[in-house]
Amino acid sequence: MAFLADALLRIKPSPTIAVTDKARALKQAGRDVIGLGAGEPDFDTPDNIKQAAIEAIRRGETKYTNVDGMPELKAAIARKFKRENQLDYKPSQISVGTGGKQVLFNALMVTLNPGDEVIVPAPYWVSYYDIVALCGAKPVVVETPMEDGFKLKPEALDRAITPKTKWVIFNSPSNPTGAAYTRAEIKALTDVLLKHPHVWLLTDDMYEHLVYDDFEFTTPAQVEPNLYDRTLTLNGVSKSYCMTGWRVGYAGGPEQLIKAMATLQSQSTTNPNAIAQWASVEALDGPQDFIAKHNAIFKERRDLCVAMLNQATGLQCPKPDGAFYVYPSCAGVIGRKAPSGKVLATDEDFVTELLEAEGVAVVQGTAFGLGPAFRISYATATPTLEEACRRIQKFCASLT
Ligand SMILES: Cc1ncc(COP(=O)(O)O)c(C=O)c1O
């Protein structure tokens, strides 16, 4: 009898964490390695947010809170939804968890039965696929190729919907491509969903604030209010506020769903860290000006990566509107030979040989459901990024 649960066979360790671990191990062994695998801002958490946490500790805010978020944070989240997204969510419609990932996990866990289908546009953030699979449901992957800007087309969405479809997962700006949907593009998708009243929409707005060149962020329930009753709007403080380690994420949605998510959370982690919740109140209510400063730097780095990667032989790198990722195609180098003698048959070969030859760690596109490509996180110091892109150019030039 196998000791481990069958459900575990349906999931795999996060490939982005695997790349980061491999890069760290090589570094420890003395290799000069640049890691571009991690999906977190290199900026520190702003001081006012840290200060709010310190004050919370001093006040003794060190006890359990309400399971799915303390009232003060839910109120700050409600204000945020109203101010930034023109969405009305009452505290009873808001769920706070230990990172956006837990909120996503709760939502899928309390709604999916074996046999249910969830539409996951690819390239996708790896956790969508694996959490759906863990629940025993079926991820229905719809590929969104580079030629379509890595964006789901309404016809493709319509074709993928069956009577078994429970959710569509939507993520803009996207991890891993950085693609962001305009209001009109969202409207075209929500029009499709209006025709299918049994399908719910889970929108992951985690990278909401990380958009460039005057791109205007909008979220589906705002664009199509008729979908409000079957939309879960997921967000968090991790990326915009440089708080990945604090572990606070949240969502707004229909009360019945939010209540079920709280029940599940009450039997797993209970409330998210109380001190991090106080820090999150400050993040959402406090000054927001640092976001624009960070974005100016991110935009510069994005432009640097796009320009340098497009100069690399065999790579093709579209310019995304948001997040801190670029997703170049490496189709042009498949079949070539690396300096080690290895023929690059897949994007996984490409990233493995790149790490070996030039010490640059990136994540292969097939891990996100669409290759041959790779993801670069440009949330790293500009000179380091420039050096990494130079090494990628050198590696591509060395292929025969
Ligand atoms: C698209 C997307 N959604 C959600 C998350 C989860 O964020 P958190 O760190 O708050 O769990 C991430 C983190 O990488 C992400 O990229």
Side-chain angles (χ1 to χ4, degrees):
M1 187 190 70
F3 176 66
L4 297 174
D6 293 345
L8 198 70
L9 299 174
R10 298 198 287 268
I11 60 171
K12 48 200 174 306
S14 156
T16 50
I17 293 173
V19 167
T20 309
D21 286 351
K22 195 167 169 187
R24 193 178 298 125
L26 282 172
K27 238 182 214 172
Q28 273 165 1
R31 284 280 308 274
D32 169 22
V33 172
I34 302 177
L36 302 179
E40 62 181 346
D42 52 323
F43 305 118
D44 195 4
T45 307
D47 252 349
N48 61 307
I49 299 174
K50 290 183 177 173
Q51 202 52 42
I54 293 165
E55 283 161 20
I57 294 174
R58 295 222 189 284
R59 282 200 311 275
E61 309 272 10
T62 54
K63 304 283 195 282
Y64 291 130
T65 72
N66 296 24
V67 166
D68 66 349
M70 59 188 203
E72 293 84 351
L73 179 53
K74 287 196 175 194
I77 292 166
R79 283 191 291 276
K80 178 262 178 259
F81 275 133
K82 185 73 183 159
R83 180 178 72 238
E84 298 185 341
N85 312 116
Q86 293 80 55
L87 289 174
D88 287 303
Y89 286 119
K90 294 184 294 216
S92 56
Q93 291 180 282
I94 291 172
S95 181
V96 188
T98 299
K101 195 181 267 183
Q102 186 184 23
V103 180
L104 170 78
F105 186 90
N106 289 343
L108 295 175
M109 205 72 185
V110 301
T111 53
L112 292 178
N113 289 311
D116 286 343
E117 295 178 0
V118 178
I119 296 176
V120 183
Y124 46 74
W125 179 45
V126 288
S127 296
Y128 301 143
Y129 189 101
D130 279 24
I131 296 173
V132 169
L134 185 68
C135 293
K138 182 178 165 200
V140 175
V141 174
V142 181
E143 294 192 354
T144 65
M146 187 168 74
E147 301 73 61
D148 294 343
F150 300 119
K151 294 186 216 181
L152 182 62
K153 294 270 192 207
E155 315 80 65
L157 172 61
D158 206 21
R159 270 198 306 274
I161 293 173
T162 77
K164 290 181 180 169
T165 309
K166 200 141 209 183
W167 289 101
V168 175
I169 296 185
F170 176 79
N171 175 218
S172 166
S174 144
N175 176 7
T177 64
Y181 290 66
T182 63
R183 181 183 280 269
E185 287 165 342
I186 292 178
K187 184 73 174 71
L189 296 174
T190 55
D191 281 352
V192 172
L193 293 180
L194 286 179
K195 293 194 302 176
H196 301 279
H198 68 291
V199 179
W200 283 55
L201 177 64
L202 197 162
T203 176
D204 181 344
D205 299 353
M206 196 55 78
Y207 295 89
E208 166 176 12
H209 295 117
L210 305 179
V211 289
Y212 314 112
D213 305 322
D214 302 323
F215 183 90
E216 193 207 339
F217 172 88
T218 47
T219 188
Q222 168 191 21
V223 173
E224 182 45 85
N226 287 319
L227 280 184
Y228 174 85
D229 287 337
R230 48 185 168 113
T231 298
L232 186 70
T233 305
L234 176 78
N235 210 316
V237 294
S238 297
K239 314 285 174 167
S240 306
Y241 299 96
C242 313
M243 293 176 68
T244 45
W246 297 74
R247 310 308 304 133
V248 174
Y250 58 86
E255 211 162 277
Q256 194 192 359
L257 171 63
I258 296 295
K259 210 167 148 198
M261 290 161 63
T263 304
L264 178 63
Q265 193 162 301
S266 75
Q267 298 297 4
S268 57
T269 56
T270 312
N271 61 275
N273 179 298
I275 296 145
Q277 287 192 66
W278 281 106
S280 302
V281 171
E282 174 61 18
L284 296 175
D285 281 347
Q288 307 285 307
D289 51 322
F290 64 89
I291 295 178
K293 288 183 194 144
H294 289 174
N295 282 2
I297 298 170
F298 280 142
K299 173 185 146 51
E300 209 176 274
R301 293 175 181 170
R302 176 202 62 175
D303 293 345
L304 174 86
C305 285
V306 170
M308 289 187 76
L309 295 171
N310 277 320
Q311 284 164 14
T313 318
L315 301 188
Q316 201 184 346
C317 185
K319 188 199 268 192
D321 286 310
F324 37 64
Y325 308 105
V326 288
Y327 200 75
S329 160
C330 58
V333 301
I334 299 300
R336 302 252 184 98
K337 201 186 277 182
S340 67
K342 165 108 185 143
V343 173
L344 306 180
T346 61
D347 53 11
E348 194 169 356
D349 288 345
F350 176 85
V351 307
T352 306
E353 291 299 314
L354 174 66
L355 183 57
E356 282 302 318
E358 292 293 336
V360 177
V362 298
V363 187
Q364 69 277 14
T366 40
F368 306 103
L370 193 81
F374 60 99
R375 187 193 78 171
I376 284 185
S377 164
Y378 57 80
T380 200
T382 311
T384 312
L385 200 60
E386 198 170 349
E387 170 61 16
C389 290
R390 213 174 289 126
R391 292 188 194 182
I392 293 172
Q393 288 177 343
K394 187 168 158 228
F395 177 69
C396 290
S398 74
L399 302 174
T400 52

mmCIF file of all heavy atoms in Angstrom, residues 150-181:
data_model
loop_
_atom_site.group_PDB
_atom_site.id
_atom_site.type_symbol
_atom_site.label_atom_id
_atom_site.label_comp_id
_atom_site.label_asym_id
_atom_site.label_seq_id
_atom_site.Cartn_x
_atom_site.Cartn_y
_atom_site.Cartn_z
ATOM 1 N N PHE A 150 -0.751 36.327 -26.425
ATOM 2 C CA PHE A 150 -0.973 35.465 -25.256
ATOM 3 C C PHE A 150 -2.306 35.778 -24.576
ATOM 4 O O PHE A 150 -2.425 35.702 -23.353
ATOM 5 C CB PHE A 150 0.166 35.601 -24.229
ATOM 6 C CG PHE A 150 1.526 35.245 -24.740
ATOM 7 C CD1 PHE A 150 2.534 36.197 -24.764
ATOM 8 C CD2 PHE A 150 1.810 33.965 -25.197
ATOM 9 C CE1 PHE A 150 3.812 35.874 -25.222
ATOM 10 C CE2 PHE A 150 3.075 33.639 -25.657
ATOM 11 C CZ PHE A 150 4.080 34.599 -25.672
ATOM 12 N N LYS A 151 -3.299 36.166 -25.378
ATOM 13 C CA LYS A 151 -4.601 36.500 -24.784
ATOM 14 C C LYS A 151 -5.685 35.585 -25.327
ATOM 15 O O LYS A 151 -5.684 35.246 -26.513
ATOM 16 C CB LYS A 151 -4.952 37.958 -25.078
ATOM 17 C CG LYS A 151 -4.008 38.940 -24.392
ATOM 18 C CD LYS A 151 -4.480 40.354 -24.589
ATOM 19 C CE LYS A 151 -3.315 41.299 -24.746
ATOM 20 N NZ LYS A 151 -3.732 42.683 -24.911
ATOM 21 N N LEU A 152 -6.606 35.229 -24.448
ATOM 22 C CA LEU A 152 -7.697 34.336 -24.799
ATOM 23 C C LEU A 152 -8.674 35.044 -25.731
ATOM 24 O O LEU A 152 -9.096 36.170 -25.458
ATOM 25 C CB LEU A 152 -8.414 33.914 -23.502
ATOM 26 C CG LEU A 152 -9.565 32.943 -23.606
ATOM 27 C CD1 LEU A 152 -9.117 31.603 -24.186
ATOM 28 C CD2 LEU A 152 -10.191 32.733 -22.219
ATOM 29 N N LYS A 153 -9.015 34.375 -26.812
ATOM 30 C CA LYS A 153 -9.988 34.930 -27.767
ATOM 31 C C LYS A 153 -11.393 34.484 -27.359
ATOM 32 O O LYS A 153 -11.568 33.343 -26.896
ATOM 33 C CB LYS A 153 -9.701 34.371 -29.172
ATOM 34 C CG LYS A 153 -8.369 34.842 -29.753
ATOM 35 C CD LYS A 153 -8.607 36.114 -30.508
ATOM 36 C CE LYS A 153 -7.400 36.477 -31.342
ATOM 37 N NZ LYS A 153 -7.284 37.875 -31.583
ATOM 38 N N PRO A 154 -12.391 35.327 -27.565
ATOM 39 C CA PRO A 154 -13.759 34.955 -27.184
ATOM 40 C C PRO A 154 -14.221 33.652 -27.826
ATOM 41 O O PRO A 154 -14.867 32.829 -27.159
ATOM 42 C CB PRO A 154 -14.609 36.142 -27.652
ATOM 43 C CG PRO A 154 -13.707 37.129 -28.250
ATOM 44 C CD PRO A 154 -12.298 36.696 -28.070
ATOM 45 N N GLU A 155 -13.872 33.435 -29.088
ATOM 46 C CA GLU A 155 -14.317 32.198 -29.763
ATOM 47 C C GLU A 155 -13.700 30.974 -29.091
ATOM 48 O O GLU A 155 -14.356 29.930 -28.940
ATOM 49 C CB GLU A 155 -13.912 32.158 -31.256
ATOM 50 C CG GLU A 155 -14.158 33.443 -32.053
ATOM 51 C CD GLU A 155 -13.085 34.495 -31.822
ATOM 52 O OE1 GLU A 155 -11.927 34.242 -32.200
ATOM 53 O OE2 GLU A 155 -13.388 35.573 -31.267
ATOM 54 N N ALA A 156 -12.442 31.094 -28.710
ATOM 55 C CA ALA A 156 -11.751 29.965 -28.070
ATOM 56 C C ALA A 156 -12.379 29.673 -26.713
ATOM 57 O O ALA A 156 -12.546 28.511 -26.319
ATOM 58 C CB ALA A 156 -10.268 30.271 -27.923
ATOM 59 N N LEU A 157 -12.759 30.723 -26.003
ATOM 60 C CA LEU A 157 -13.425 30.546 -24.704
ATOM 61 C C LEU A 157 -14.760 29.838 -24.916
ATOM 62 O O LEU A 157 -15.080 28.859 -24.229
ATOM 63 C CB LEU A 157 -13.631 31.913 -24.037
ATOM 64 C CG LEU A 157 -14.485 31.903 -22.770
ATOM 65 C CD1 LEU A 157 -13.855 31.048 -21.680
ATOM 66 C CD2 LEU A 157 -14.708 33.317 -22.243
ATOM 67 N N ASP A 158 -15.516 30.321 -25.881
ATOM 68 C CA ASP A 158 -16.838 29.748 -26.158
ATOM 69 C C ASP A 158 -16.722 28.258 -26.485
ATOM 70 O O ASP A 158 -17.505 27.436 -25.991
ATOM 71 C CB ASP A 158 -17.471 30.512 -27.329
ATOM 72 C CG ASP A 158 -18.986 30.442 -27.287
ATOM 73 O OD1 ASP A 158 -19.531 30.172 -26.193
ATOM 74 O OD2 ASP A 158 -19.622 30.635 -28.333
ATOM 75 N N ARG A 159 -15.723 27.925 -27.295
ATOM 76 C CA ARG A 159 -15.527 26.532 -27.709
ATOM 77 C C ARG A 159 -15.163 25.626 -26.528
ATOM 78 O O ARG A 159 -15.498 24.447 -26.510
ATOM 79 C CB ARG A 159 -14.397 26.444 -28.749
ATOM 80 C CG ARG A 159 -14.849 26.576 -30.197
ATOM 81 C CD ARG A 159 -13.776 26.057 -31.148
ATOM 82 N NE ARG A 159 -12.465 26.665 -30.943
ATOM 83 C CZ ARG A 159 -12.080 27.814 -31.500
ATOM 84 N NH1 ARG A 159 -12.893 28.470 -32.296
ATOM 85 N NH2 ARG A 159 -10.874 28.304 -31.267
ATOM 86 N N ALA A 160 -14.458 26.191 -25.556
ATOM 87 C CA ALA A 160 -13.951 25.369 -24.441
ATOM 88 C C ALA A 160 -15.026 25.088 -23.393
ATOM 89 O O ALA A 160 -14.883 24.177 -22.579
ATOM 90 C CB ALA A 160 -12.752 26.064 -23.799
ATOM 91 N N ILE A 161 -16.091 25.876 -23.388
ATOM 92 C CA ILE A 161 -17.128 25.721 -22.352
ATOM 93 C C ILE A 161 -18.000 24.500 -22.650
ATOM 94 O O ILE A 161 -18.436 24.297 -23.779
ATOM 95 C CB ILE A 161 -18.003 27.002 -22.267
ATOM 96 C CG1 ILE A 161 -17.150 28.166 -21.731
ATOM 97 C CG2 ILE A 161 -19.218 26.775 -21.375
ATOM 98 C CD1 ILE A 161 -17.846 29.516 -21.748
ATOM 99 N N THR A 162 -18.202 23.685 -21.610
ATOM 100 C CA THR A 162 -19.088 22.516 -21.717
ATOM 101 C C THR A 162 -20.067 22.588 -20.532
ATOM 102 O O THR A 162 -19.897 23.435 -19.638
ATOM 103 C CB THR A 162 -18.301 21.176 -21.622
ATOM 104 O OG1 THR A 162 -17.968 20.960 -20.240
ATOM 105 C CG2 THR A 162 -17.034 21.173 -22.462
ATOM 106 N N PRO A 163 -21.044 21.690 -20.497
ATOM 107 C CA PRO A 163 -21.952 21.693 -19.330
ATOM 108 C C PRO A 163 -21.202 21.440 -18.019
ATOM 109 O O PRO A 163 -21.694 21.756 -16.938
ATOM 110 C CB PRO A 163 -22.917 20.549 -19.642
ATOM 111 C CG PRO A 163 -22.896 20.414 -21.138
ATOM 112 C CD PRO A 163 -21.489 20.750 -21.548
ATOM 113 N N LYS A 164 -19.998 20.874 -18.112
ATOM 114 C CA LYS A 164 -19.245 20.575 -16.881
ATOM 115 C C LYS A 164 -18.371 21.741 -16.410
ATOM 116 O O LYS A 164 -17.735 21.664 -15.351
ATOM 117 C CB LYS A 164 -18.340 19.362 -17.127
ATOM 118 C CG LYS A 164 -19.111 18.070 -17.286
ATOM 119 C CD LYS A 164 -18.129 16.949 -17.488
ATOM 120 C CE LYS A 164 -18.829 15.625 -17.653
ATOM 121 N NZ LYS A 164 -17.916 14.588 -18.104
ATOM 122 N N THR A 165 -18.278 22.785 -17.222
ATOM 123 C CA THR A 165 -17.391 23.906 -16.851
ATOM 124 C C THR A 165 -17.913 24.599 -15.591
ATOM 125 O O THR A 165 -19.074 25.001 -15.541
ATOM 126 C CB THR A 165 -17.319 24.954 -17.982
ATOM 127 O OG1 THR A 165 -17.013 24.280 -19.197
ATOM 128 C CG2 THR A 165 -16.270 26.006 -17.685
ATOM 129 N N LYS A 166 -17.046 24.728 -14.610
ATOM 130 C CA LYS A 166 -17.462 25.414 -13.386
ATOM 131 C C LYS A 166 -16.850 26.819 -13.324
ATOM 132 O O LYS A 166 -17.521 27.774 -12.988
ATOM 133 C CB LYS A 166 -17.029 24.607 -12.168
ATOM 134 C CG LYS A 166 -17.803 24.969 -10.933
ATOM 135 C CD LYS A 166 -18.095 23.724 -10.114
ATOM 136 C CE LYS A 166 -19.341 23.798 -9.298
ATOM 137 N NZ LYS A 166 -19.500 22.595 -8.494
ATOM 138 N N TRP A 167 -15.574 26.894 -13.631
ATOM 139 C CA TRP A 167 -14.863 28.171 -13.549
ATOM 140 C C TRP A 167 -14.089 28.432 -14.843
ATOM 141 O O TRP A 167 -13.630 27.494 -15.500
ATOM 142 C CB TRP A 167 -13.802 28.133 -12.454
ATOM 143 C CG TRP A 167 -14.224 28.131 -11.025
ATOM 144 C CD1 TRP A 167 -14.281 27.050 -10.202
ATOM 145 C CD2 TRP A 167 -14.582 29.270 -10.228
ATOM 146 N NE1 TRP A 167 -14.657 27.440 -8.943
ATOM 147 C CE2 TRP A 167 -14.846 28.798 -8.923
ATOM 148 C CE3 TRP A 167 -14.696 30.649 -10.478
ATOM 149 C CZ2 TRP A 167 -15.219 29.645 -7.879
ATOM 150 C CZ3 TRP A 167 -15.080 31.477 -9.437
ATOM 151 C CH2 TRP A 167 -15.336 30.982 -8.152
ATOM 152 N N VAL A 168 -13.897 29.707 -15.092
ATOM 153 C CA VAL A 168 -12.861 30.143 -16.034
ATOM 154 C C VAL A 168 -11.874 30.941 -15.197
ATOM 155 O O VAL A 168 -12.286 31.818 -14.412
ATOM 156 C CB VAL A 168 -13.430 31.070 -17.136
ATOM 157 C CG1 VAL A 168 -12.306 31.598 -18.018
ATOM 158 C CG2 VAL A 168 -14.464 30.337 -17.956
ATOM 159 N N ILE A 169 -10.600 30.635 -15.341
ATOM 160 C CA ILE A 169 -9.598 31.415 -14.612
ATOM 161 C C ILE A 169 -9.015 32.455 -15.556
ATOM 162 O O ILE A 169 -8.601 32.143 -16.681
ATOM 163 C CB ILE A 169 -8.513 30.502 -14.008
ATOM 164 C CG1 ILE A 169 -9.161 29.594 -12.963
ATOM 165 C CG2 ILE A 169 -7.397 31.351 -13.386
ATOM 166 C CD1 ILE A 169 -8.212 28.714 -12.190
ATOM 167 N N PHE A 170 -9.021 33.688 -15.076
ATOM 168 C CA PHE A 170 -8.588 34.816 -15.894
ATOM 169 C C PHE A 170 -7.510 35.562 -15.104
ATOM 170 O O PHE A 170 -7.674 35.795 -13.907
ATOM 171 C CB PHE A 170 -9.813 35.714 -16.156
ATOM 172 C CG PHE A 170 -9.513 36.962 -16.912
ATOM 173 C CD1 PHE A 170 -9.344 36.923 -18.289
ATOM 174 C CD2 PHE A 170 -9.409 38.185 -16.263
ATOM 175 C CE1 PHE A 170 -9.073 38.074 -19.016
ATOM 176 C CE2 PHE A 170 -9.132 39.349 -16.969
ATOM 177 C CZ PHE A 170 -8.975 39.283 -18.343
ATOM 178 N N ASN A 171 -6.424 35.915 -15.767
ATOM 179 C CA ASN A 171 -5.308 36.552 -15.055
ATOM 180 C C ASN A 171 -4.699 37.653 -15.915
ATOM 181 O O ASN A 171 -4.119 37.383 -16.950
ATOM 182 C CB ASN A 171 -4.251 35.475 -14.724
ATOM 183 C CG ASN A 171 -2.981 36.019 -14.097
ATOM 184 O OD1 ASN A 171 -1.885 35.541 -14.390
ATOM 185 N ND2 ASN A 171 -3.105 37.008 -13.249
ATOM 186 N N SER A 172 -4.901 38.887 -15.473
ATOM 187 C CA SER A 172 -4.393 40.031 -16.229
ATOM 188 C C SER A 172 -3.987 41.134 -15.263
ATOM 189 O O SER A 172 -4.806 41.490 -14.409
ATOM 190 C CB SER A 172 -5.479 40.550 -17.172
ATOM 191 O OG SER A 172 -5.171 41.821 -17.684
ATOM 192 N N PRO A 173 -2.766 41.698 -15.384
ATOM 193 C CA PRO A 173 -1.642 41.213 -16.179
ATOM 194 C C PRO A 173 -1.246 39.803 -15.764
ATOM 195 O O PRO A 173 -1.431 39.412 -14.616
ATOM 196 C CB PRO A 173 -0.536 42.209 -15.854
ATOM 197 C CG PRO A 173 -1.208 43.425 -15.332
ATOM 198 C CD PRO A 173 -2.450 42.951 -14.664
ATOM 199 N N SER A 174 -0.678 39.102 -16.725
ATOM 200 C CA SER A 174 -0.458 37.677 -16.529
ATOM 201 C C SER A 174 0.938 37.320 -16.027
ATOM 202 O O SER A 174 1.934 37.894 -16.440
ATOM 203 C CB SER A 174 -0.711 36.967 -17.870
ATOM 204 O OG SER A 174 0.174 35.887 -18.065
ATOM 205 N N ASN A 175 0.960 36.359 -15.139
ATOM 206 C CA ASN A 175 2.155 35.584 -14.863
ATOM 207 C C ASN A 175 1.914 34.288 -15.635
ATOM 208 O O ASN A 175 0.912 33.624 -15.365
ATOM 209 C CB ASN A 175 2.265 35.310 -13.365
ATOM 210 C CG ASN A 175 3.438 34.416 -13.031
ATOM 211 O OD1 ASN A 175 4.251 34.087 -13.883
ATOM 212 N ND2 ASN A 175 3.527 34.017 -11.777
ATOM 213 N N PRO A 176 2.704 33.938 -16.635
ATOM 214 C CA PRO A 176 4.098 34.318 -16.884
ATOM 215 C C PRO A 176 4.349 35.285 -18.050
ATOM 216 O O PRO A 176 5.499 35.595 -18.295
ATOM 217 C CB PRO A 176 4.711 32.968 -17.277
ATOM 218 C CG PRO A 176 3.624 32.320 -18.083
ATOM 219 C CD PRO A 176 2.332 32.755 -17.434
ATOM 220 N N THR A 177 3.318 35.742 -18.773
ATOM 221 C CA THR A 177 3.636 36.463 -20.025
ATOM 222 C C THR A 177 3.679 37.977 -19.872
ATOM 223 O O THR A 177 4.223 38.662 -20.734
ATOM 224 C CB THR A 177 2.595 36.149 -21.130
ATOM 225 O OG1 THR A 177 1.321 36.642 -20.704
ATOM 226 C CG2 THR A 177 2.517 34.660 -21.419
ATOM 227 N N GLY A 178 3.044 38.514 -18.830
ATOM 228 C CA GLY A 178 2.937 39.967 -18.693
ATOM 229 C C GLY A 178 1.801 40.549 -19.527
ATOM 230 O O GLY A 178 1.545 41.749 -19.482
ATOM 231 N N ALA A 179 1.115 39.693 -20.296
ATOM 232 C CA ALA A 179 0.024 40.180 -21.147
ATOM 233 C C ALA A 179 -1.093 40.758 -20.284
ATOM 234 O O ALA A 179 -1.431 40.204 -19.238
ATOM 235 C CB ALA A 179 -0.526 39.042 -22.000
ATOM 236 N N ALA A 180 -1.655 41.876 -20.724
ATOM 237 C CA ALA A 180 -2.755 42.504 -19.993
ATOM 238 C C ALA A 180 -3.897 42.785 -20.969
ATOM 239 O O ALA A 180 -3.659 43.172 -22.101
ATOM 240 C CB ALA A 180 -2.277 43.790 -19.332
ATOM 241 N N TYR A 181 -5.122 42.566 -20.514
ATOM 242 C CA TYR A 181 -6.300 42.700 -21.379
ATOM 243 C C TYR A 181 -6.868 44.119 -21.270
ATOM 244 O O TYR A 181 -7.017 44.644 -20.168
ATOM 245 C CB TYR A 181 -7.393 41.705 -20.959
ATOM 246 C CG TYR A 181 -7.091 40.249 -21.247
ATOM 247 C CD1 TYR A 181 -6.060 39.593 -20.593
ATOM 248 C CD2 TYR A 181 -7.842 39.534 -22.171
ATOM 249 C CE1 TYR A 181 -5.799 38.249 -20.850
ATOM 250 C CE2 TYR A 181 -7.593 38.182 -22.429
ATOM 251 C CZ TYR A 181 -6.572 37.558 -21.770
ATOM 252 O OH TYR A 181 -6.310 36.236 -22.014
#
